[in-house]
Amino acid sequence: MSTLIKSAKSIAPLLDRVLVQRVKAEAKTASGLYLPEKNVQKLNQATVLAVGPGFTDANGVKVVPQVAVGDSVLIPQFGGSSIKLKDDEEVVLFRDSEILAKLNE
């Protein structure tokens, strides 16, 4: 079951889900050499594209996500739900609690 989504803007995360796109690793070295695609590693840094509204816990307390659209975050190397977009891009859906850190730039 592989569904291609038109764009990341058509995805609205629910509850405490956060939609991110990994930052692309450089395919060229500082000296100008191009690296083969299989040697370019996935980075753990991502940009937040969309954030769910949060949820209400068992005690009735509203829990809102700790990140906002546009934030740079660190994500786990594995996990999340990958979503393929039509233009061969890939975005990943994580729970807010799975995000490791927010980067202050």
Side-chain angles (χ1 to χ4, degrees):
M1 183 178 128
S2 176
T3 304
L4 290 177
I5 307 295
K6 289 181 189 175
S7 71
K9 291 184 183 207
S10 64
I11 301 170
L14 300 176
L15 301 174
D16 64 336
R17 303 291 199 284
V18 178
L19 184 69
V20 299
Q21 184 171 30
R22 287 183 190 271
V23 173
K24 296 202 186 290
E26 291 292 325
K28 190 165 116 176
T29 65
S31 61
L33 297 175
Y34 287 95
L35 299 172
E37 188 174 317
K38 67 179 183 175
N39 290 352
V40 177
Q41 294 181 336
K42 286 186 176 181
L43 297 178
N44 286 17
Q45 186 175 348
T47 303
V48 176
L49 301 177
V51 179
F55 66 98
T56 305
D57 69 6
N59 298 325
V61 177
K62 177 84 172 173
V63 179
V64 296
Q66 300 290 315
V67 295
V69 174
D71 285 348
S72 292
V73 294
L74 289 179
I75 56 175
Q77 186 69 29
F78 301 102
S81 298
S82 295
I83 302 168
K84 296 274 187 190
L85 303 177
K86 279 197 175 193
D87 52 359
D88 283 338
E89 293 289 321
E90 183 179 0
V91 293
V92 186
L93 202 57
F94 284 99
R95 287 188 179 274
D96 181 54
S97 60
E98 294 175 330
I99 293 178
L100 303 175
K102 186 172 162 181
L103 300 173
N104 297 323
E105 295 180 23

